[in-house]
Structure formats: structure tokens, C-alpha cells
Amino acid sequence: EAGVAQSPRYKIIEKRQSVAFWCNPISGHATLYWYQQILGQGPKLLIQFQNNGVVDDSQLPKDRFSAERLKGVDSTLKIQPAKLEDSAVYLCASSLLIGGGPQETQYFGPGTRLLVL
Amino acid sequence: AQSVAQPEDQVNVAEGNPLTVKCTYSVSGNPYLFWYVQYPNRGLQFLLKYITGDNLVKGSYGFEAEFNKSQTSFHLKKPSALVSDSALYFCAVRDPRYGGSQGNLIFGKGTKLSVKP
């Protein structure tokens, strides 16, 4: 079974530029998550999708970050304009929504390492 | 508010010795607890989880964890450490605001495990 795919793996941009990250979840997984992992910290959830609907985006800085999952499969996370403090690893994860069960495990992709100069 | 604490930034162990990586949590209700491992330039890999039932949970690569409700702890253990176990370990708790299979993972800041030959 193929895992969660992410691209690009690395990205270096200047501040105030825009950047986009792509994620393709495990086939059949209904729920998709984007996390931000700053160096020395644990991942922090930015946004959660179930199919193509947003479940939770309470920690997404909406003035500069946006995300979509138009067809309920792959997803794009965008930052526009980027700030120095956006330098981090952006992780995508997916999980198989089993109706009502607590057995959910999130499976993570390799991440995109962003450096904003 | 729910939180997870990993009190040690780094744990050093000699190969062949037992290892323990500590995790304590603070959540309302019954927690769902997870351990993930992160190798350099890789995403997070799922190790094990506690949902309910037996307090001792066995996971991948010979790891296990013991849920202790009175001490609000979920320490990760392995009887005999390998050099290849050297990595960053994250404890996470599932947000109890969401019932069923949905929920946010709240991560600790991570513990770096170093196993020396």
C-alpha cells in the first residue's frame, strides 16, 4: 500500500513570496490533515478535511494560509505572503474514517521542509 | 486545556539496555494516546496507541507502552535498545472534544533518543 505522498520535499523562498505544497493521501482515506512542525517542537494541526469539507481550521492563519481539497482526494496548502516564522516542516497526514470508531490512526507523509529567507 | 509533556529533551542509552521515554498528559475524560517516531528527514511513523482495555500496549519494532491513569502517564519502553532506535519520539493525545473517530492529535515536543554501541 502506498503511503502519503508530498511534494516538494524542500523549498527555499524569500519572505513575501508565495509557496504551495501538495499532498496525496493514502487511497481511500477520507480524512486529511496538514500540520506545521517548527524545529524543536511537535507538529501542530493547521487544518483537517473530511472528504472535501473542512472539519477544523481554527489554528490556520487565514490571513496568509489557505488550503483546499476540491475533489476529496489530494490537497494543496498555500502560503501567501510568506514570513520568516513560517520556516518549518509541513506534514500531511491521512486517516481512514471508520464510522464512529475510535481506532483512527493518522499516517504521515515525509513532509515539506520550507525555509523562508 | 489538554496537553502532553515529554519531560526529557534527550535520552541516552547503551545498546542492549532497556529504554524508557517518558510522557505525561493532561486531558479531560478518557484519553486516546499515541506514540510516533521520526527519523531524520522523514515523516512521523506510527508506533502504537492506547484506546481502551489492557494498560500495556505492544507496538512496532518491539516497543511497548504502559498507560497509567493514576499517574496520567504513557511511557514508551523497550527491553533491549538498538542503535537503529536512535530517533525523535513523539507522544500525542487525541483531543477529547471530538467523539467517535474524529479528533485532533496534540503532540508533545519530542524526545531525542540516542543509543550508543
Side-chain angles (χ1 to χ4, degrees):
Chain A
E1 178 181 80
V4 177
Q6 290 188 247
S7 67
R9 293 296 310 277
Y10 304 93
K11 191 74 176 179
I12 301 174
I13 61 172
E14 300 281 333
K15 60 183 179 182
R16 291 187 288 274
Q17 286 186 325
S18 63
V19 64
F21 313 128
W22 174 83
C23 171
N24 191 36
I26 293 172
S27 178
H29 280 198
T31 308
L32 185 148
Y33 311 80
W34 282 103
Y35 287 86
Q36 180 191 59
Q37 185 180 15
I38 293 173
L39 186 64
Q41 299 181 20
K44 183 188 79 172
L45 181 71
L46 292 175
I47 189 168
Q48 176 185 347
F49 292 94
Q50 182 173 319
N51 295 315
N52 61 352
V54 175
V55 174
D56 186 347
D57 64 356
S58 58
Q59 297 189 86
L60 187 73
K62 298 181 187 64
D63 58 335
R64 297 184 301 106
F65 286 65
S66 64
E68 59 184 14
R69 193 185 184 200
L70 294 177
K71 296 182 179 179
V73 180
D74 57 351
S75 174
T76 302
L77 176 70
K78 296 180 181 178
I79 307 175
Q80 183 178 10
K83 293 184 175 181
L84 296 178
E85 59 261 35
D86 297 332
S87 294
V89 176
Y90 291 85
L91 295 165
C92 179
S94 69
S95 64
L96 179 66
L97 182 62
I98 303 170
Q103 295 90 349
E104 285 291 282
T105 295
Q106 294 183 23
Y107 296 93
F108 286 79
T112 296
R113 187 174 298 272
L114 174 67
L115 179 60
V116 182
L117 302 176
Chain B
Q2 54 275 0
S3 63
V4 175
Q6 293 182 244
E8 302 154 317
D9 290 336
Q10 182 157 344
V11 171
N12 298 311
V13 178
E15 187 175 31
N17 283 0
L19 69 87
T20 299
V21 183
K22 296 180 180 178
C23 172
T24 59
Y25 65 89
S26 174
V27 298
S28 57
N30 296 316
Y32 300 149
L33 295 155
F34 300 78
W35 275 103
Y36 284 83
V37 59
Q38 188 175 36
Y39 296 99
N41 299 316
R42 302 276 295 276
L44 277 70
Q45 295 180 31
F46 170 73
L47 280 179
L48 52 80
K49 64 183 176 184
Y50 171 82
I51 302 298
T52 187
D54 194 345
N55 289 343
L56 184 63
V57 179
K58 294 188 183 297
S60 306
Y61 312 121
F63 283 93
E64 59 187 28
E66 185 168 12
F67 171 62
N68 188 318
K69 188 171 184 178
S70 62
Q71 297 186 6
T72 62
S73 67
F74 189 57
H75 300 331
L76 182 70
K77 300 180 180 182
K78 187 173 183 180
S80 179
L82 300 173
V83 173
S84 57
D85 293 330
S86 298
L88 195 54
Y89 290 81
F90 289 95
C91 181
V93 61
R94 210 184 82 185
D95 190 334
R97 289 182 299 164
Y98 297 94
S101 58
Q102 292 185 343
N104 301 332
L105 276 180
I106 297 171
F107 286 86
K109 62 177 174 59
T111 298
K112 182 179 179 181
L113 174 66
S114 178
V115 182
K116 300 295 185 184

